[in-house]
Amino acid sequence: SGARLMATQSGDDTQRPSALAKIHLEDGSTFTGRSFGHHESVEGEVVFTTGMVGYTESLTDPSYQGQILTMTQPMVGNYGVPDRNVMDEYGLPKYFESNKIHATGLIVQDYSHHYSHWNAASSLGDWLKEEGIPGLCDIDTRMLTKKIREKGAMLGRIEVDLTAPPPDFSAFQDVNDPNVRHLVDEVSTKEIKVYGKGNQYKIIAVDGGMKYNIIRQLVKRDVELTVVPWDYPYAAEMDKFDGLFLSNGPGDPTSCDVTIKELEKVINCPDDKVKPIFGICLGNQLTGLAAGGTAKKLPFGNRGQNQPVLNHQTGEAYITPQNHGYHIDCSTLKPGWKTLFTNANDGSNEGIAHETRPYFSAQFHPEAACGPTDTEFMFDTFLEACRKPTDKIIFPTRKPAPPKPNVKKVLLLGSGGTSIGQAGEFDYSGGQAIKALKEEGKEVVLMNPNIASVQTNMDDKSASKADHVFFLPVTPDFVEEVIKKEKPDGIVVSMGGQTALNCAVEMYLAGTFEKYGIEVLGTQIQAVIDTEDRQIFSDKLNEINEKIAESYTADNLDDAITAANKIGYPLMIRSAFALGGLGSGICHDEEMLRDMGNKALSVSPQILVERSMKGWKEVEYEVVRDSQDNCVTVCNMENFDPLGIHTGDSIVMAPSQTLSNEEYHMLRETAIKVVRHLGIVGECNIQYALHPESTEYCIIEVNARLSRSSALASKATGYPLAFVAAKLALGIPLTEVENSVTKKTQACFEPSLDYIVTKVPRWDMSKFQGVSKEIGSAMKSVGEVMGIGRTMEESLQKALRMVDPANPGFQKHLLYDNMDDLKKELSVPTDKRIWAIAQALHEKTLSVDEIHDITKIDHWFLRRLEGMVKTWNKMEEF
């Protein structure tokens, strides 16, 4: 193992964990699993976190001191663990939140003993062993989480001695019970430390278990940060500093009585001595206690990355990362204090502020790591206050929302006749939109030439049907005729795919909507043009320092060849305003470019010649934004096939499986930034190319409409994107749209999945003679199926079996007689590539590394497929 100690992925010799261990809970239940970390018994409070990425950040968060952490994300360890010895510019371990693991133990359902990531140095299990922390896998974490939700956080014991009797939790010594220990004292610094010496703003930080990312956020904003122990008498020294910061930390806030007494002195100082105060997490609870509130323990706490929080000062909603077991009851706050933030799900307090002095706090984690970075601006708010300590805290306000559209009758454009890329694929979105519009009391006129669709049903069985249906082509002439006859005052154009969008753009440019006084609801047509015209799109992204792949537009072949010589072959061409990637593909030389360029220009006025990023990962996010600028990403998806194959022809998995916290949230943050800049209202989809060996990425495209992926995302997450988008198009904010799953909370949230969804396309190429079976950037699939499971294997097997009932699953179909044919299938993909991988793994003719070199499919996916083959071989022995 010495040679493998620093490796970006696991080797062929990596074994599944085999030693058995148990977890005993306070309620008397016991689960048996396998031990993959340090093989030793421990005790602690069992809690769960719903974050889908970020296990390295979570485990090193001091707030988990004394707790056995359960991950609801089913497959953990996929991207390994980075190098512990790499330091950042502040002298802190670059990829971690403290210098050691603070959680007492880790419980997961499926431990990825095979890992793969460019930034990894070892597996998760090896890191746990190195730190002396036990890990248990093969535990039904969904069942365990359900127990904790019903009964509250419980004491537990990980037991490696299988013959030992269950522990008597009532006789737990204080040493072992984290509810009795002084956890803050255990994790707080013992000496005074200074970071960013010589920087402009002098801030004193009380360390209750401060995460390193808080230090990074402050120091990079020109702060000289003096970090002191939790019980330090800081009140007497406040005149030396510009502000006071109170950090996060574990356990019961009332145990920090010394800190609270000091804080009361600072808060109640004379007017001329006021210094801004900012508290996070435990810091918020201490501020609340010093301001007269009371601390209460939540049944199972809020731990995860998708908690929606409302700002009372601005009305904005944020998606926040959280990790706390206590909250403040504000009913006893002293005069002069008010609630600043509230959790939109459970109504618990998420922060308070002083009405006249610059004191404020947040129960969530603006510094993130792990989790979304939406509230990072609060560090700027704090430093702004340090510049003007006499003012109260003021948050930057967004532009006021436009007035709600005043429409009674709405025209909905359906999606054109039956062909790949339109028709049935948008039946779901149109049907959902009709339901939402009818719920809001609107009269709906539907145009859709497709008689075989659900949205055009007019019988009484249909719960929500349009008031008037026109079976007419979605073209400007026919749409204008319907407008003349029905006189609608609003139009929805984003529910009918590219056909409806192109028609709407044409009518907008011709001035038809203006002529009849029709309001376009949701995303405005100019924003659509900004995303569809590649040159404008590139310019818009440059305005916010984001980039698409190096590309040039051409409206004739000569210009395309000139552009190609600048970029170099192989390169990619695409058509603007095209359906399902029509007319796009990879060109290896000028001859291919001439051939494909002619075809592309025959269907589109403009083609795009761009750098080929074949072999990069393809990742997409579904983003929802309302007219008040609240923004959430509902689902992210990762293509099993790297870039070069249209998403519609790729096997796709949601949520992404090989992205680290840094990558996942970097792309999420970019998605929100781009969608806000483009001014999209409703739903859209953003696609990225992510370099497989760095954090370099490019934006491939933004679809300012519901796409084929949106239907997949809706069904994968249970979040009805089209329904919500139709409500947002009417100017209703996300915070007022009901969450259709819970019926209690609102739609301003991001689903956290404890399962994986695999989408496999269906092709019918064998029905046509002479058609090329090669798949690429132009979509050829005629449908798709979706498998849901708790592991990649389960969900892929379900999907492969559903796509064609004759398929028994991922096993060898002897399709290729010789090695050359097999390698050609892997390198130039057709609809049979997955079976070629199965054959190579079953026959052991190619190793995982060799398949990766040919296909560029991530090692992690290939290792999981190899695991299925190994199971098959084991079964054959019997």
Side-chain angles (χ1 to χ4, degrees):
S1 70
R4 295 219 58 84
L5 223 52
M6 290 288 292
T8 56
Q9 71 227 19
S10 45
D12 292 330
D13 52 357
T14 309
Q15 296 296 316
R16 294 187 80 89
S18 57
L20 293 174
K22 294 178 173 175
I23 169 99
H24 297 293
L25 295 177
E26 208 176 344
D27 70 347
S29 52
T30 297
F31 295 78
T32 305
R34 293 181 196 281
S35 162
F36 69 94
H38 181 60
H39 198 61
E40 184 183 72
S41 303
V42 293
E43 287 159 347
E45 183 181 40
V46 185
V47 297
F48 66 86
T49 175
T50 59
M52 296 191 290
V53 284
Y55 51 82
T56 48
E57 290 87 351
S58 291
L59 287 168
T60 51
D61 178 349
S63 297
Y64 281 118
Q65 180 80 358
Q67 292 177 327
I68 296 173
L69 180 59
T70 306
M71 298 272 175
T72 61
Q73 163 71 358
M75 290 175 286
V76 178
N78 308 9
Y79 51 85
V81 178
D83 189 343
R84 281 60 102 187
N85 301 317
V86 175
M87 297 293 155
D88 62 17
E89 61 266 48
Y90 315 113
L92 303 167
K94 189 170 180 180
Y95 304 110
F96 303 92
E97 287 306 298
S98 67
N99 59 2
K100 65 172 206 176
I101 295 179
H102 281 281
T104 305
L106 177 65
I107 298 178
V108 302
Q109 182 201 273
D110 183 289
Y111 165 59
S112 287
H113 57 293
H114 274 299
Y115 69 93
S116 168
H117 196 267
W118 59 270
N119 198 29
S122 80
S123 69
L124 172 58
D126 285 349
W127 182 45
L128 292 175
K129 287 172 189 153
E130 194 181 293
E131 296 259 341
I133 304 292
L136 265 190
C137 64
D138 299 345
I139 296 279
D140 183 351
T141 49
R142 182 180 277 178
M143 174 82 168
L144 182 57
T145 303
K146 212 169 161 218
K147 265 186 183 303
I148 298 170
R149 286 190 76 100
E150 283 165 7
K151 299 181 179 171
M154 282 183 268
L155 294 173
R157 177 178 169 88
I158 292 178
E159 181 61 77
V160 296
D161 175 0
L162 300 176
T163 59
D168 174 10
F169 286 102
S170 61
F172 241 37
Q173 274 92 41
D174 296 351
V175 211
N176 298 337
D177 186 346
N179 295 311
V180 182
R181 283 156 49 189
H182 200 309
L183 299 172
V184 170
D185 190 48
E186 292 174 24
V187 298
S188 180
T189 181
K190 298 294 173 260
E191 74 241 12
I192 296 172
K193 294 179 185 162
V194 178
Y195 296 92
K197 197 153 183 56
N199 284 354
Q200 182 180 356
Y201 303 102
K202 314 293 180 210
I203 303 290
I204 182 168
V206 180
D207 179 10
M210 178 151 51
K211 287 169 61 192
Y212 284 164
N213 216 41
I214 291 177
I215 300 174
R216 296 184 194 109
Q217 291 291 352
L218 287 166
V219 177
K220 80 174 184 195
R221 287 173 168 78
D222 208 12
V223 165
E224 179 183 285
L225 193 67
T226 304
V227 178
V228 299
W230 71 276
D231 52 1
Y232 187 80
Y234 54 88
E237 296 185 17
M238 281 314 296
D239 53 342
K240 295 187 210 161
F241 297 99
D242 300 320
L244 168 65
F245 179 81
L246 304 161
S247 89
N248 64 297
D252 184 345
T254 55
S255 62
C256 303
D257 45 352
V258 187
T259 326
I260 297 166
K261 287 202 177 77
E262 288 292 311
L263 189 52
E264 284 170 347
K265 292 181 205 166
V266 180
I267 285 174
N268 300 319
C269 68
D271 284 347
D272 58 340
K273 299 271 189 222
V274 169
K275 296 287 166 77
I277 302 172
F278 179 27
I280 287 177
C281 189
L282 175 73
N284 167 63
Q285 295 159 12
L286 299 176
T287 309
L289 290 167
T294 42
K296 297 200 169 157
K297 189 165 184 176
L298 291 159
F300 49 82
N302 280 333
R303 297 179 181 89
Q305 302 176 11
N306 64 342
Q307 293 284 338
V309 166
L310 301 173
N311 180 335
H312 288 268
Q313 197 185 82
T314 62
E316 294 166 3
Y318 312 118
I319 301 296
T320 64
Q322 303 200 359
N323 174 13
H324 59 97
Y326 288 82
H327 75 115
I328 291 295
D329 177 351
C330 296
S331 56
T332 56
L333 284 181
K334 294 175 187 157
W337 289 89
K338 58 174 184 201
T339 299
L340 179 57
F341 300 113
T342 301
N343 187 307
N345 282 349
D346 65 10
S348 63
N349 175 260
E350 292 278 1
I352 60 172
H354 197 275
E355 288 175 359
T356 52
R357 290 183 170 189
Y359 306 154
F360 73 123
S361 61
Q363 185 56 63
F364 47 91
H365 286 269
E367 82 289 352
C370 46
T373 50
D374 301 11
T375 50
E376 211 179 84
F377 68 86
M378 289 177 69
F379 290 100
D380 299 314
T381 308
F382 175 49
L383 292 178
E384 189 56 40
C386 293
R387 286 192 277 275
K388 305 185 203 141
T390 49
D391 299 356
K392 61 176 186 179
I393 292 291
I394 295 181
F395 286 98
T397 42
R398 299 172 183 169
K399 288 205 293 276
K404 274 191 185 178
N406 179 19
V407 293
K408 293 188 179 66
K409 192 174 194 179
V410 177
L411 173 60
L412 178 71
L413 298 186
S415 73
T418 305
S419 77
I420 293 175
Q422 57 179 38
E425 296 179 22
F426 295 95
D427 199 13
Y428 173 77
S429 51
Q432 289 276 319
I434 293 169
K435 183 177 162 192
L437 293 168
K438 293 300 295 171
E439 223 175 69
E440 293 300 323
K442 308 298 175 195
E443 189 179 344
V444 181
V445 181
L446 171 67
M447 268 189 85
N448 188 349
N450 195 350
I451 200 160
S453 64
V454 176
Q455 58 181 259
T456 53
N457 287 355
M458 289 304 283
D459 57 17
D460 293 332
K461 287 201 269 305
S462 305
S464 47
K465 52 185 192 224
D467 299 282
H468 317 277
V469 178
F470 290 88
F471 291 105
L472 291 170
V474 182
T475 60
D477 300 347
F478 281 112
V479 175
E480 188 168 358
E481 288 305 310
V482 171
I483 288 172
K484 282 183 195 163
K485 181 175 185 300
E486 290 293 334
K487 304 185 175 51
D489 31 34
I491 186 166
V492 174
V493 303
S494 60
M495 303 287 170
Q498 198 66 43
T499 311
L501 220 50
N502 288 352
C503 172
V505 168
E506 210 176 308
M507 295 181 75
Y508 168 78
L509 295 174
T512 316
F513 297 147
E514 211 177 348
K515 176 177 165 189
Y516 294 100
I518 292 180
E519 190 172 353
V520 174
L521 304 177
T523 303
Q524 294 304 297
I525 304 291
Q526 190 54 54
V528 173
I529 295 171
D530 292 348
T531 60
E532 295 280 335
D533 182 301
R534 300 298 296 188
Q535 192 55 55
I536 302 178
F537 184 52
S538 182
D539 296 343
K540 289 292 274 186
L541 290 181
N542 285 333
E543 290 169 14
I544 50 170
N545 297 324
E546 291 296 342
K547 58 181 189 306
I548 57 175
E550 181 191 357
S551 65
Y552 301 95
T553 51
D555 42 25
N556 59 60
L557 210 52
D558 294 341
D559 288 358
I561 290 163
T562 313
N565 294 333
K566 285 187 203 163
I567 294 172
Y569 295 93
L571 50 81
M572 175 92 181
I573 68 163
R574 311 171 172 270
S575 325
F577 297 97
L579 196 66
L582 200 65
S584 65
I586 287 177
C587 305
H588 293 281
D589 51 38
E590 190 175 318
E591 188 189 350
M592 275 182 87
L593 176 63
R594 284 183 181 279
D595 173 47
M596 289 179 71
N598 271 324
K599 286 180 188 160
L601 284 166
S602 68
V603 294
S604 168
Q606 181 193 56
I607 59 170
L608 194 77
V609 182
E610 70 181 29
R611 169 187 171 193
S612 166
M613 292 173 291
K614 204 174 176 180
W616 288 36
K617 293 183 184 187
E618 186 168 352
V619 183
E620 51 185 307
Y621 285 70
E622 297 293 325
V623 189
V624 171
R625 177 179 173 269
D626 66 16
S627 57
Q628 307 198 348
D629 211 20
N630 296 313
C631 217
V632 297
T633 60
V634 171
C635 182
N636 96 317
M637 297 176 255
E638 175 177 15
N639 289 12
F640 169 86
D641 305 283
L643 211 66
I645 298 178
H646 190 284
T647 307
D649 278 351
S650 285
I651 293 176
V652 176
M653 308 208 174
S656 61
Q657 294 298 321
T658 70
L659 268 56
S660 66
N661 176 74
E662 178 186 17
E663 291 162 329
Y664 181 102
H665 286 290
M666 165 183 81
L667 298 180
R668 179 189 175 278
E669 190 180 334
T670 303
I672 288 177
K673 186 166 118 183
V674 169
V675 167
R676 283 186 166 148
H677 186 64
L678 292 168
I680 286 162
V681 174
E683 197 269 353
C684 77
N685 146 293
I686 180 166
Q687 291 171 12
Y688 295 102
L690 177 66
H691 192 279
E693 283 164 21
S694 72
T695 53
E696 187 192 346
Y697 66 90
C698 295
I699 294 164
I700 303 172
E701 63 177 350
V702 170
N703 284 315
R705 58 177 171 85
L706 283 105
S707 62
R708 192 172 177 168
S709 307
S710 316
L712 170 69
S714 301
K715 290 165 186 170
T717 59
Y719 190 109
L721 286 164
F723 178 82
V724 171
K727 295 255 173 159
L728 302 184
L730 297 172
I732 302 168
L734 267 170
T735 47
E736 290 173 24
V737 178
E738 183 183 74
N739 172 347
S740 45
V741 180
T742 62
K743 301 279 186 227
K744 290 189 190 81
T745 54
Q746 31 69 44
C748 190
F749 78 106
E750 297 186 359
S752 201
L753 309 186
D754 70 344
Y755 51 87
I756 174 175
V757 171
T758 304
K759 175 214 90 176
V760 176
R762 157 114 194 165
W763 295 274
D764 276 337
M765 302 194 201
S766 47
K767 290 183 180 170
F768 305 99
Q769 280 183 334
V771 70
S772 157
K773 295 200 171 161
E774 286 177 17
I775 56 176
S777 56
M779 184 160 69
K780 292 184 178 180
S781 64
V782 293
E784 54 195 33
V785 300
M786 175 177 112
I788 300 183
R790 293 276 277 156
T791 61
M792 177 192 138
E793 293 85 339
E794 182 193 346
S795 85
L796 178 71
Q797 285 284 44
K798 284 177 174 174
L800 288 175
R801 287 168 187 155
M802 276 194 293
V803 109
D804 179 354
N807 264 339
F810 183 76
Q811 48 188 269
K812 58 182 177 188
H813 301 251
L814 295 171
L815 299 168
Y816 308 97
D817 302 332
N818 58 55
M819 200 56 176
D820 291 346
D821 289 355
L822 184 63
K823 282 188 166 168
K824 181 174 186 238
E825 174 55 53
L826 291 173
S827 60
V828 184
T830 74
D831 52 342
K832 304 273 188 293
R833 173 147 90 171
I834 188 83
W835 308 118
I837 297 172
Q839 185 171 334
L841 289 172
H842 271 285
E843 294 175 344
K844 296 190 172 50
T845 42
L846 293 170
S847 70
V848 162
D849 286 339
E850 288 169 318
I851 297 173
H852 169 77
D853 290 340
I854 301 171
T855 61
K856 295 288 180 266
I857 293 169
D858 194 281
H859 276 93
W860 185 83
F861 292 128
L862 294 173
R863 287 289 183 198
R864 302 296 291 212
L865 296 178
E866 181 192 44
M868 285 154 86
V869 173
K870 283 181 176 168
T871 306
W872 172 272
N873 294 341
K874 258 199 201 121
M875 286 164 69
E876 279 198 325
E877 288 168 19
F878 296 101

